[in-house]
Amino acid sequence: MNEFRADLHCHTNCSDGTATPQEIIDLACSIGLKGLSITDHDTLDAYDVAIPAAKKKNLLLISGIELSTTHRNNSVHILGYSFSLDSPVLRDFCAQHLQRRLQRAQMILDLLAKHHMPIDFSELSGTTIGRPHIAMAMVKKGYVNSLQEAFHSYLGEEKSCYVPSSSATTEETINLIHQAGGLAVIAHPHLIDDTSILRDLLEMPFDGIEGYYGRFYAHQQERWVKIGQYRKWLITGGSDFHGTIKPTLALGSSWVNEETFNILYQHFKSHNP
Ligand code: AMP
Ligand code: ZN
Ligand code: FE
Ligand code: FE
């Protein structure tokens, strides 16, 4: 396929995906993607390997990240794009997030132990630990049969072993992405089920909204695209690929065209000379 396609949302094993940065670059090229952004949760670690790997294969790669934020006690994911990869404020923020994630993972393990499901920290694989890593360890130990069951019974919001992930607000986080020279985008807006939260978000200084997403139905896509167009925001898109832990979300299953990608790419180049 010669059509220009760029997937702007995927995760490596630097956060909660299963593919290495090199494997994601190789996979992107093998399925004919021309552009990519890696959006690991709260970390930029993948870019050390991904930048030279993409260059070698002529894949256009732009900086990306997915940050967990809180707005009025609701979890909101923000995608940041095209920021400076050397930004000290963003690097510091990631380091703080990492510390918080490690503390939170230990708190979740303490709760699981109280529910007679002991797991030692050393049994968790990965660096930027999230709930999927804990869910995988629960499956491995035979406490649950699937990741879905782990979330549904224990780790999901308001379940007995849930601990929220972030103390940074949505507005603070948008500001931080802007300070790093980047563009802030509302991730998977269909997951925001409280309409008053959505209304608040639409008044915030975002630059874009994720209008094309792996799991959208056509009518959902149309809704977010229209909202984005009305605000004169960028309409971004991507698969939210996580590798084998979420086999239904294939890399390249959602993408943006050359025109949209070029806006982000030019922005990226101007902040990463
Ligand atoms: P965390 O950043 O630790 O809060 O974990 C968020 C990750 O957990 C995201 O990648 C979500 O897609 C994943 N997740 C959230 N809810 C579920 C669920 N019910 N089943 C499987 N994965 C989930
Ligand atoms: Zn994830
Ligand atoms: Fe997300
Ligand atoms: Fe994601």
Side-chain angles (χ1 to χ4, degrees), residues 194-259:
D194 181 332
T195 51
S196 82
I197 297 289
L198 180 65
R199 230 177 291 135
D200 286 359
L201 295 183
L202 294 178
E203 295 305 320
M204 291 183 191
F206 279 104
D207 307 286
I209 187 165
E210 195 169 42
Y212 309 105
Y213 185 76
R215 253 175 300 193
F216 278 175
Y217 297 110
H219 69 279
Q220 288 181 315
Q221 191 163 298
E222 202 177 317
R223 174 173 181 216
W224 304 116
V225 169
K226 272 189 181 156
I227 286 176
Q229 284 170 340
Y230 180 76
R231 309 230 151 226
K232 299 195 166 45
W233 283 350
L234 272 173
I235 318 288
T236 71
S239 59
D240 208 0
F241 175 70
H242 278 77
T244 52
I245 65 164
K246 292 184 186 174
T248 52
L249 296 172
L251 190 70
S253 57
S254 272
W255 70 90
V256 296
N257 63 18
E258 190 165 17
E259 190 187 339

Short mmCIF file of all heavy atoms in Angstrom, two decimals, residues 194-259:
data_model
loop_
_atom_site.label_atom_id
_atom_site.label_comp_id
_atom_site.label_asym_id
_atom_site.label_seq_id
_atom_site.Cartn_x
_atom_site.Cartn_y
_atom_site.Cartn_z
N ASP A 194 -18.33 11.09 31.72
CA ASP A 194 -19.03 12.15 32.45
C ASP A 194 -19.07 13.40 31.55
O ASP A 194 -18.03 13.98 31.22
CB ASP A 194 -18.27 12.41 33.75
CG ASP A 194 -18.92 13.48 34.61
OD1 ASP A 194 -19.59 14.38 34.05
OD2 ASP A 194 -18.74 13.43 35.84
N THR A 195 -20.27 13.81 31.13
CA THR A 195 -20.35 14.90 30.14
C THR A 195 -19.87 16.23 30.71
O THR A 195 -19.39 17.08 29.97
CB THR A 195 -21.78 15.08 29.60
OG1 THR A 195 -22.66 15.17 30.71
CG2 THR A 195 -22.19 13.94 28.70
N SER A 196 -19.98 16.42 32.04
CA SER A 196 -19.51 17.70 32.59
C SER A 196 -17.98 17.76 32.56
O SER A 196 -17.39 18.83 32.40
CB SER A 196 -20.07 17.93 34.00
OG SER A 196 -19.30 17.25 34.95
N ILE A 197 -17.33 16.62 32.71
CA ILE A 197 -15.86 16.58 32.59
C ILE A 197 -15.47 16.89 31.14
O ILE A 197 -14.58 17.70 30.87
CB ILE A 197 -15.31 15.18 32.99
CG1 ILE A 197 -15.61 14.88 34.46
CG2 ILE A 197 -13.81 15.05 32.68
CD1 ILE A 197 -14.82 15.68 35.46
N LEU A 198 -16.17 16.28 30.22
CA LEU A 198 -15.88 16.52 28.80
C LEU A 198 -16.06 18.00 28.47
O LEU A 198 -15.22 18.59 27.78
CB LEU A 198 -16.80 15.65 27.93
CG LEU A 198 -16.58 15.82 26.42
CD1 LEU A 198 -15.19 15.34 26.01
CD2 LEU A 198 -17.64 15.07 25.64
N ARG A 199 -17.13 18.57 28.97
CA ARG A 199 -17.39 20.00 28.71
C ARG A 199 -16.21 20.86 29.22
O ARG A 199 -15.75 21.76 28.54
CB ARG A 199 -18.69 20.43 29.41
CG ARG A 199 -19.62 21.17 28.46
CD ARG A 199 -20.94 21.52 29.14
NE ARG A 199 -21.75 20.35 29.41
CZ ARG A 199 -22.40 20.11 30.56
NH1 ARG A 199 -22.31 20.96 31.57
NH2 ARG A 199 -23.13 19.03 30.72
N ASP A 200 -15.73 20.55 30.42
CA ASP A 200 -14.57 21.27 30.97
C ASP A 200 -13.35 21.12 30.06
O ASP A 200 -12.65 22.08 29.76
CB ASP A 200 -14.18 20.72 32.36
CG ASP A 200 -15.16 21.14 33.45
OD1 ASP A 200 -16.12 21.88 33.15
OD2 ASP A 200 -14.95 20.71 34.61
N LEU A 201 -13.11 19.88 29.62
CA LEU A 201 -11.92 19.62 28.81
C LEU A 201 -11.96 20.41 27.51
O LEU A 201 -10.94 20.93 27.04
CB LEU A 201 -11.79 18.13 28.49
CG LEU A 201 -11.56 17.17 29.65
CD1 LEU A 201 -11.40 15.75 29.13
CD2 LEU A 201 -10.34 17.55 30.47
N LEU A 202 -13.16 20.53 26.94
CA LEU A 202 -13.27 21.22 25.65
C LEU A 202 -13.01 22.72 25.78
O LEU A 202 -12.77 23.39 24.78
CB LEU A 202 -14.66 20.95 25.02
CG LEU A 202 -14.90 19.49 24.61
CD1 LEU A 202 -16.31 19.32 24.04
CD2 LEU A 202 -13.87 19.00 23.60
N GLU A 203 -13.02 23.22 27.01
CA GLU A 203 -12.69 24.64 27.23
C GLU A 203 -11.21 24.84 27.57
O GLU A 203 -10.77 25.97 27.77
CB GLU A 203 -13.56 25.22 28.37
CG GLU A 203 -15.05 25.28 28.06
CD GLU A 203 -15.34 26.04 26.77
OE1 GLU A 203 -14.69 27.06 26.52
OE2 GLU A 203 -16.20 25.57 25.99
N MET A 204 -10.47 23.77 27.72
CA MET A 204 -9.04 23.89 28.09
C MET A 204 -8.18 24.14 26.85
O MET A 204 -8.60 23.84 25.74
CB MET A 204 -8.59 22.62 28.83
CG MET A 204 -9.23 22.50 30.20
SD MET A 204 -8.59 21.04 31.05
CE MET A 204 -9.73 20.95 32.43
N PRO A 205 -6.96 24.68 27.06
CA PRO A 205 -6.14 25.05 25.90
C PRO A 205 -5.45 23.87 25.20
O PRO A 205 -4.23 23.86 25.01
CB PRO A 205 -5.11 26.02 26.49
CG PRO A 205 -5.01 25.63 27.92
CD PRO A 205 -6.35 25.09 28.34
N PHE A 206 -6.24 22.88 24.82
CA PHE A 206 -5.71 21.76 24.05
C PHE A 206 -5.43 22.21 22.62
O PHE A 206 -5.99 23.21 22.15
CB PHE A 206 -6.72 20.60 24.01
CG PHE A 206 -6.70 19.74 25.24
CD1 PHE A 206 -7.70 19.83 26.20
CD2 PHE A 206 -5.67 18.83 25.43
CE1 PHE A 206 -7.67 19.04 27.33
CE2 PHE A 206 -5.64 18.03 26.57
CZ PHE A 206 -6.64 18.14 27.52
N ASP A 207 -4.59 21.44 21.93
CA ASP A 207 -4.28 21.72 20.52
C ASP A 207 -4.91 20.68 19.60
O ASP A 207 -4.88 20.83 18.38
CB ASP A 207 -2.75 21.68 20.30
CG ASP A 207 -2.04 22.59 21.28
OD1 ASP A 207 -2.10 23.80 21.10
OD2 ASP A 207 -1.45 22.07 22.26
N GLY A 208 -5.43 19.61 20.20
CA GLY A 208 -5.97 18.56 19.35
C GLY A 208 -6.81 17.56 20.13
O GLY A 208 -6.86 17.59 21.37
N ILE A 209 -7.44 16.68 19.36
CA ILE A 209 -8.26 15.62 19.96
C ILE A 209 -8.04 14.35 19.12
O ILE A 209 -7.85 14.43 17.90
CB ILE A 209 -9.76 16.03 20.00
CG1 ILE A 209 -10.60 15.01 20.77
CG2 ILE A 209 -10.34 16.24 18.60
CD1 ILE A 209 -11.98 15.55 21.16
N GLU A 210 -8.04 13.20 19.81
CA GLU A 210 -7.82 11.94 19.09
C GLU A 210 -9.14 11.52 18.44
O GLU A 210 -10.03 11.00 19.10
CB GLU A 210 -7.30 10.88 20.07
CG GLU A 210 -6.72 9.67 19.41
CD GLU A 210 -6.00 8.76 20.38
OE1 GLU A 210 -6.49 8.53 21.51
OE2 GLU A 210 -4.91 8.29 20.03
N GLY A 211 -9.24 11.78 17.15
CA GLY A 211 -10.50 11.54 16.43
C GLY A 211 -10.55 10.18 15.77
O GLY A 211 -11.62 9.70 15.42
N TYR A 212 -9.38 9.57 15.56
CA TYR A 212 -9.32 8.24 14.93
C TYR A 212 -8.62 7.31 15.91
O TYR A 212 -7.49 7.56 16.31
CB TYR A 212 -8.52 8.31 13.61
CG TYR A 212 -8.99 9.41 12.70
CD1 TYR A 212 -8.24 10.58 12.57
CD2 TYR A 212 -10.19 9.30 12.01
CE1 TYR A 212 -8.67 11.60 11.74
CE2 TYR A 212 -10.62 10.32 11.19
CZ TYR A 212 -9.86 11.47 11.06
OH TYR A 212 -10.28 12.48 10.26
N TYR A 213 -9.33 6.27 16.32
CA TYR A 213 -8.81 5.41 17.38
C TYR A 213 -9.17 3.97 17.08
O TYR A 213 -10.27 3.68 16.59
CB TYR A 213 -9.43 5.86 18.72
CG TYR A 213 -8.89 5.15 19.94
CD1 TYR A 213 -7.64 5.48 20.45
CD2 TYR A 213 -9.63 4.16 20.58
CE1 TYR A 213 -7.15 4.84 21.57
CE2 TYR A 213 -9.14 3.52 21.71
CZ TYR A 213 -7.90 3.86 22.19
OH TYR A 213 -7.41 3.22 23.31
N GLY A 214 -8.23 3.07 17.41
CA GLY A 214 -8.40 1.65 17.09
C GLY A 214 -9.78 1.08 17.35
O GLY A 214 -10.30 0.32 16.54
N ARG A 215 -10.38 1.46 18.46
CA ARG A 215 -11.62 0.79 18.84
C ARG A 215 -12.89 1.59 18.53
O ARG A 215 -13.96 1.24 19.00
CB ARG A 215 -11.58 0.47 20.33
CG ARG A 215 -11.37 -1.00 20.59
CD ARG A 215 -11.21 -1.29 22.06
NE ARG A 215 -10.06 -0.58 22.64
CZ ARG A 215 -9.57 -0.85 23.84
NH1 ARG A 215 -10.10 -1.78 24.58
NH2 ARG A 215 -8.54 -0.17 24.30
N PHE A 216 -12.78 2.70 17.77
CA PHE A 216 -13.97 3.50 17.48
C PHE A 216 -14.87 2.83 16.45
O PHE A 216 -14.41 2.23 15.49
CB PHE A 216 -13.57 4.85 16.86
CG PHE A 216 -13.16 5.89 17.85
CD1 PHE A 216 -12.67 7.11 17.40
CD2 PHE A 216 -13.26 5.68 19.20
CE1 PHE A 216 -12.27 8.09 18.29
CE2 PHE A 216 -12.87 6.64 20.10
CZ PHE A 216 -12.37 7.85 19.64
N TYR A 217 -16.17 3.03 16.61
CA TYR A 217 -17.11 2.74 15.54
C TYR A 217 -17.19 4.01 14.70
O TYR A 217 -16.88 5.10 15.16
CB TYR A 217 -18.48 2.40 16.10
CG TYR A 217 -18.48 1.15 16.94
CD1 TYR A 217 -18.65 1.22 18.33
CD2 TYR A 217 -18.30 -0.09 16.35
CE1 TYR A 217 -18.63 0.06 19.11
CE2 TYR A 217 -18.28 -1.25 17.12
CZ TYR A 217 -18.44 -1.16 18.50
OH TYR A 217 -18.41 -2.29 19.25
N ALA A 218 -17.69 3.86 13.45
CA ALA A 218 -17.71 5.00 12.52
C ALA A 218 -18.45 6.21 13.11
O ALA A 218 -17.98 7.34 13.01
CB ALA A 218 -18.35 4.59 11.21
N HIS A 219 -19.60 5.99 13.77
CA HIS A 219 -20.37 7.13 14.27
C HIS A 219 -19.62 7.84 15.41
O HIS A 219 -19.74 9.04 15.58
CB HIS A 219 -21.77 6.70 14.72
CG HIS A 219 -21.77 5.85 15.96
ND1 HIS A 219 -21.51 4.51 15.93
CD2 HIS A 219 -21.96 6.18 17.25
CE1 HIS A 219 -21.57 4.03 17.17
NE2 HIS A 219 -21.83 5.02 18.00
N GLN A 220 -18.82 7.09 16.17
CA GLN A 220 -18.05 7.71 17.26
C GLN A 220 -16.98 8.62 16.67
O GLN A 220 -16.79 9.75 17.09
CB GLN A 220 -17.36 6.64 18.10
CG GLN A 220 -18.29 5.84 18.98
CD GLN A 220 -17.51 4.81 19.78
OE1 GLN A 220 -16.64 4.13 19.26
NE2 GLN A 220 -17.82 4.71 21.05
N GLN A 221 -16.32 8.10 15.63
CA GLN A 221 -15.26 8.84 14.97
C GLN A 221 -15.79 10.19 14.48
O GLN A 221 -15.19 11.23 14.71
CB GLN A 221 -14.80 8.00 13.79
CG GLN A 221 -13.55 8.47 13.15
CD GLN A 221 -12.99 7.34 12.30
OE1 GLN A 221 -12.64 6.29 12.81
NE2 GLN A 221 -12.93 7.56 11.02
N GLU A 222 -16.95 10.13 13.83
CA GLU A 222 -17.55 11.33 13.26
C GLU A 222 -17.79 12.39 14.34
O GLU A 222 -17.52 13.57 14.13
CB GLU A 222 -18.89 10.92 12.64
CG GLU A 222 -19.39 11.85 11.58
CD GLU A 222 -20.69 11.28 11.00
OE1 GLU A 222 -20.75 10.06 10.74
OE2 GLU A 222 -21.62 12.07 10.86
N ARG A 223 -18.23 11.95 15.50
CA ARG A 223 -18.53 12.88 16.60
C ARG A 223 -17.27 13.64 17.02
O ARG A 223 -17.28 14.87 17.13
CB ARG A 223 -19.10 12.10 17.78
CG ARG A 223 -19.29 12.98 18.98
CD ARG A 223 -20.00 12.27 20.11
NE ARG A 223 -20.16 13.22 21.22
CZ ARG A 223 -20.09 12.90 22.49
NH1 ARG A 223 -19.91 11.65 22.85
NH2 ARG A 223 -20.22 13.83 23.42
N TRP A 224 -16.17 12.92 17.25
CA TRP A 224 -14.96 13.58 17.75
C TRP A 224 -14.31 14.43 16.67
O TRP A 224 -13.75 15.48 16.96
CB TRP A 224 -13.98 12.55 18.32
CG TRP A 224 -14.63 11.73 19.40
CD1 TRP A 224 -14.87 10.38 19.38
CD2 TRP A 224 -15.19 12.22 20.63
NE1 TRP A 224 -15.53 10.01 20.53
CE2 TRP A 224 -15.74 11.10 21.31
CE3 TRP A 224 -15.29 13.47 21.24
CZ2 TRP A 224 -16.37 11.20 22.55
CZ3 TRP A 224 -15.92 13.58 22.48
CH2 TRP A 224 -16.44 12.46 23.12
N VAL A 225 -14.39 13.97 15.44
CA VAL A 225 -13.83 14.76 14.33
C VAL A 225 -14.57 16.09 14.24
O VAL A 225 -13.95 17.15 14.13
CB VAL A 225 -13.90 13.96 13.01
CG1 VAL A 225 -13.58 14.85 11.81
CG2 VAL A 225 -12.93 12.78 13.04
N LYS A 226 -15.89 16.05 14.34
CA LYS A 226 -16.69 17.28 14.26
C LYS A 226 -16.36 18.23 15.40
O LYS A 226 -16.21 19.43 15.21
CB LYS A 226 -18.19 16.94 14.32
CG LYS A 226 -18.77 16.66 12.96
CD LYS A 226 -20.27 16.56 13.06
CE LYS A 226 -20.85 16.24 11.69
NZ LYS A 226 -22.15 15.60 11.78
N ILE A 227 -16.23 17.69 16.60
CA ILE A 227 -15.90 18.51 17.78
C ILE A 227 -14.53 19.17 17.56
O ILE A 227 -14.35 20.36 17.80
CB ILE A 227 -15.92 17.66 19.07
CG1 ILE A 227 -17.37 17.36 19.46
CG2 ILE A 227 -15.20 18.36 20.21
CD1 ILE A 227 -17.55 16.45 20.67
N GLY A 228 -13.57 18.39 17.08
CA GLY A 228 -12.23 18.92 16.82
C GLY A 228 -12.23 20.00 15.75
O GLY A 228 -11.59 21.04 15.89
N GLN A 229 -12.98 19.76 14.68
CA GLN A 229 -13.04 20.74 13.58
C GLN A 229 -13.66 22.05 14.07
O GLN A 229 -13.19 23.13 13.74
CB GLN A 229 -13.87 20.18 12.42
CG GLN A 229 -13.10 19.14 11.61
CD GLN A 229 -13.99 18.41 10.62
OE1 GLN A 229 -15.21 18.39 10.76
NE2 GLN A 229 -13.37 17.78 9.63
N TYR A 230 -14.71 21.94 14.88
CA TYR A 230 -15.37 23.12 15.41
C TYR A 230 -14.39 23.98 16.21
O TYR A 230 -14.40 25.20 16.16
CB TYR A 230 -16.56 22.68 16.27
CG TYR A 230 -17.31 23.84 16.87
CD1 TYR A 230 -18.17 24.61 16.09
CD2 TYR A 230 -17.15 24.17 18.22
CE1 TYR A 230 -18.86 25.69 16.63
CE2 TYR A 230 -17.83 25.25 18.77
CZ TYR A 230 -18.68 26.00 17.97
OH TYR A 230 -19.34 27.07 18.51
N ARG A 231 -13.51 23.31 16.97
CA ARG A 231 -12.55 24.04 17.81
C ARG A 231 -11.31 24.46 17.03
O ARG A 231 -10.39 25.01 17.60
CB ARG A 231 -12.09 23.18 18.99
CG ARG A 231 -13.23 22.61 19.73
CD ARG A 231 -13.21 22.79 21.20
NE ARG A 231 -14.61 22.82 21.58
CZ ARG A 231 -15.19 23.68 22.37
NH1 ARG A 231 -14.48 24.58 22.98
NH2 ARG A 231 -16.46 23.65 22.61
N LYS A 232 -11.23 24.05 15.76
CA LYS A 232 -10.03 24.27 14.93
C LYS A 232 -8.80 23.59 15.54
O LYS A 232 -7.70 24.13 15.57
CB LYS A 232 -9.78 25.76 14.69
CG LYS A 232 -10.93 26.45 13.97
CD LYS A 232 -10.51 27.80 13.44
CE LYS A 232 -11.47 28.41 12.44
NZ LYS A 232 -12.90 28.35 12.78
N TRP A 233 -9.04 22.41 16.10
CA TRP A 233 -7.96 21.61 16.67
C TRP A 233 -7.45 20.64 15.63
O TRP A 233 -8.16 20.32 14.66
CB TRP A 233 -8.48 20.81 17.88
CG TRP A 233 -8.65 21.60 19.13
CD1 TRP A 233 -8.24 22.87 19.39
CD2 TRP A 233 -9.31 21.13 20.33
NE1 TRP A 233 -8.59 23.22 20.67
CE2 TRP A 233 -9.25 22.18 21.27
CE3 TRP A 233 -9.93 19.93 20.69
CZ2 TRP A 233 -9.78 22.06 22.56
CZ3 TRP A 233 -10.46 19.81 21.97
CH2 TRP A 233 -10.38 20.88 22.89
N LEU A 234 -6.23 20.12 15.89
CA LEU A 234 -5.72 19.00 15.09
C LEU A 234 -6.55 17.77 15.42
O LEU A 234 -6.91 17.55 16.58
CB LEU A 234 -4.29 18.69 15.51
CG LEU A 234 -3.14 19.41 14.85
CD1 LEU A 234 -1.85 19.04 15.58
CD2 LEU A 234 -3.05 19.01 13.38
N ILE A 235 -6.83 16.97 14.40
CA ILE A 235 -7.50 15.69 14.65
C ILE A 235 -6.43 14.62 14.50
O ILE A 235 -5.94 14.38 13.39
CB ILE A 235 -8.63 15.41 13.62
CG1 ILE A 235 -9.46 16.67 13.33
CG2 ILE A 235 -9.48 14.23 14.08
CD1 ILE A 235 -10.37 17.13 14.41
N THR A 236 -6.06 14.01 15.62
CA THR A 236 -5.00 13.00 15.56
C THR A 236 -5.62 11.61 15.59
O THR A 236 -6.84 11.46 15.76
CB THR A 236 -4.00 13.15 16.73
OG1 THR A 236 -4.65 12.75 17.93
CG2 THR A 236 -3.50 14.58 16.84
N GLY A 237 -4.77 10.60 15.44
CA GLY A 237 -5.29 9.23 15.46
C GLY A 237 -4.19 8.21 15.62
O GLY A 237 -3.03 8.45 15.28
N GLY A 238 -4.57 7.08 16.18
CA GLY A 238 -3.60 5.99 16.34
C GLY A 238 -4.28 4.77 16.91
O GLY A 238 -5.45 4.79 17.28
N SER A 239 -3.51 3.69 16.96
CA SER A 239 -4.08 2.39 17.32
C SER A 239 -4.17 2.14 18.81
O SER A 239 -4.99 1.37 19.27
CB SER A 239 -3.24 1.29 16.69
OG SER A 239 -1.89 1.39 17.17
N ASP A 240 -3.27 2.77 19.61
CA ASP A 240 -3.08 2.41 21.03
C ASP A 240 -2.57 0.97 21.14
O ASP A 240 -2.95 0.23 22.05
CB ASP A 240 -4.37 2.61 21.84
CG ASP A 240 -4.10 2.92 23.30
OD1 ASP A 240 -2.91 3.00 23.69
OD2 ASP A 240 -5.07 3.10 24.07
N PHE A 241 -1.69 0.64 20.21
CA PHE A 241 -1.07 -0.70 20.19
C PHE A 241 -0.28 -0.94 21.48
O PHE A 241 0.49 -0.09 21.91
CB PHE A 241 -0.13 -0.76 18.97
CG PHE A 241 0.68 -2.02 18.84
CD1 PHE A 241 0.08 -3.22 18.51
CD2 PHE A 241 2.06 -1.99 19.02
CE1 PHE A 241 0.84 -4.38 18.37
CE2 PHE A 241 2.84 -3.14 18.88
CZ PHE A 241 2.21 -4.34 18.55
N HIS A 242 -0.50 -2.13 22.08
CA HIS A 242 0.22 -2.52 23.29
C HIS A 242 0.93 -3.86 23.12
O HIS A 242 1.40 -4.44 24.11
CB HIS A 242 -0.73 -2.66 24.48
CG HIS A 242 -1.09 -1.37 25.17
ND1 HIS A 242 -1.99 -0.47 24.65
CD2 HIS A 242 -0.69 -0.83 26.35
CE1 HIS A 242 -2.12 0.56 25.48
NE2 HIS A 242 -1.34 0.38 26.52
N GLY A 243 0.95 -4.41 21.88
CA GLY A 243 1.57 -5.72 21.68
C GLY A 243 0.63 -6.84 22.09
O GLY A 243 -0.60 -6.69 22.02
N THR A 244 1.22 -7.93 22.57
CA THR A 244 0.41 -9.13 22.80
C THR A 244 -0.51 -9.03 24.01
O THR A 244 -1.42 -9.85 24.14
CB THR A 244 1.33 -10.37 22.99
OG1 THR A 244 2.29 -10.05 24.00
CG2 THR A 244 2.03 -10.72 21.70
N ILE A 245 -0.33 -8.04 24.89
CA ILE A 245 -1.26 -7.98 26.03
C ILE A 245 -2.64 -7.47 25.61
O ILE A 245 -3.61 -7.66 26.32
CB ILE A 245 -0.74 -7.18 27.26
CG1 ILE A 245 -0.55 -5.70 26.97
CG2 ILE A 245 0.50 -7.79 27.86
CD1 ILE A 245 -0.44 -4.88 28.27
N LYS A 246 -2.71 -6.77 24.46
CA LYS A 246 -4.01 -6.34 23.93
C LYS A 246 -4.05 -6.70 22.45
O LYS A 246 -3.92 -5.84 21.58
CB LYS A 246 -4.21 -4.84 24.12
CG LYS A 246 -4.36 -4.44 25.57
CD LYS A 246 -4.65 -2.97 25.71
CE LYS A 246 -4.67 -2.58 27.18
NZ LYS A 246 -4.80 -1.14 27.37
N PRO A 247 -4.21 -7.98 22.16
CA PRO A 247 -4.04 -8.45 20.77
C PRO A 247 -5.05 -7.87 19.78
O PRO A 247 -4.82 -7.93 18.58
CB PRO A 247 -4.18 -9.97 20.88
CG PRO A 247 -4.70 -10.25 22.24
CD PRO A 247 -4.53 -9.06 23.10
N THR A 248 -6.14 -7.29 20.26
CA THR A 248 -7.14 -6.78 19.31
C THR A 248 -6.75 -5.43 18.71
O THR A 248 -7.34 -5.00 17.73
CB THR A 248 -8.51 -6.62 20.00
OG1 THR A 248 -8.32 -5.85 21.18
CG2 THR A 248 -9.13 -7.97 20.33
N LEU A 249 -5.78 -4.74 19.32
CA LEU A 249 -5.39 -3.42 18.81
C LEU A 249 -4.11 -3.53 17.99
O LEU A 249 -3.01 -3.46 18.53
CB LEU A 249 -5.17 -2.45 19.97
CG LEU A 249 -6.39 -2.13 20.84
CD1 LEU A 249 -5.98 -1.32 22.05
CD2 LEU A 249 -7.44 -1.36 20.03
N ALA A 250 -4.26 -3.71 16.69
CA ALA A 250 -3.08 -3.91 15.84
C ALA A 250 -2.43 -2.57 15.50
O ALA A 250 -3.13 -1.57 15.28
CB ALA A 250 -3.50 -4.62 14.56
N LEU A 251 -1.10 -2.55 15.44
CA LEU A 251 -0.40 -1.34 15.00
C LEU A 251 -0.90 -0.97 13.60
O LEU A 251 -1.08 -1.84 12.75
CB LEU A 251 1.12 -1.59 14.98
CG LEU A 251 1.98 -0.32 14.78
CD1 LEU A 251 1.93 0.58 16.00
CD2 LEU A 251 3.43 -0.68 14.46
N GLY A 252 -1.16 0.30 13.38
CA GLY A 252 -1.63 0.75 12.07
C GLY A 252 -3.13 0.63 11.86
O GLY A 252 -3.64 0.98 10.79
N SER A 253 -3.87 0.17 12.89
CA SER A 253 -5.32 0.01 12.71
C SER A 253 -6.03 1.37 12.71
O SER A 253 -7.18 1.46 12.29
CB SER A 253 -5.90 -0.92 13.78
OG SER A 253 -5.62 -0.43 15.07
N SER A 254 -5.39 2.41 13.19
CA SER A 254 -5.87 3.79 13.02
C SER A 254 -4.67 4.64 12.68
O SER A 254 -3.55 4.34 13.11
CB SER A 254 -6.50 4.31 14.31
OG SER A 254 -7.85 3.98 14.36
N TRP A 255 -4.88 5.71 11.93
CA TRP A 255 -3.72 6.50 11.49
C TRP A 255 -4.19 7.87 11.06
O TRP A 255 -5.39 8.15 10.97
CB TRP A 255 -3.03 5.79 10.33
CG TRP A 255 -3.81 5.79 9.06
CD1 TRP A 255 -3.75 6.72 8.07
CD2 TRP A 255 -4.78 4.83 8.63
NE1 TRP A 255 -4.62 6.39 7.06
CE2 TRP A 255 -5.27 5.24 7.38
CE3 TRP A 255 -5.29 3.66 9.21
CZ2 TRP A 255 -6.24 4.53 6.68
CZ3 TRP A 255 -6.25 2.96 8.51
CH2 TRP A 255 -6.72 3.39 7.27
N VAL A 256 -3.20 8.77 10.80
CA VAL A 256 -3.51 10.07 10.20
C VAL A 256 -2.85 10.13 8.82
O VAL A 256 -1.92 9.37 8.53
CB VAL A 256 -3.03 11.26 11.06
CG1 VAL A 256 -3.77 11.28 12.39
CG2 VAL A 256 -1.52 11.25 11.26
N ASN A 257 -3.31 11.07 8.02
CA ASN A 257 -2.78 11.20 6.66
C ASN A 257 -1.55 12.11 6.65
O ASN A 257 -1.14 12.65 7.69
CB ASN A 257 -3.86 11.68 5.69
CG ASN A 257 -4.36 13.08 6.07
OD1 ASN A 257 -3.70 13.81 6.81
ND2 ASN A 257 -5.51 13.45 5.55
N GLU A 258 -1.00 12.30 5.46
CA GLU A 258 0.24 13.05 5.31
C GLU A 258 0.08 14.51 5.75
O GLU A 258 0.97 15.09 6.37
CB GLU A 258 0.68 12.98 3.84
CG GLU A 258 2.06 13.51 3.61
CD GLU A 258 2.61 13.09 2.25
OE1 GLU A 258 1.82 12.67 1.38
OE2 GLU A 258 3.83 13.19 2.06
N GLU A 259 -1.06 15.10 5.43
CA GLU A 259 -1.28 16.51 5.73
C GLU A 259 -1.22 16.76 7.26
O GLU A 259 -0.51 17.65 7.72
CB GLU A 259 -2.66 16.90 5.19
CG GLU A 259 -2.91 18.38 5.22
CD GLU A 259 -4.36 18.70 4.82
OE1 GLU A 259 -5.01 17.85 4.16
OE2 GLU A 259 -4.82 19.78 5.20
#
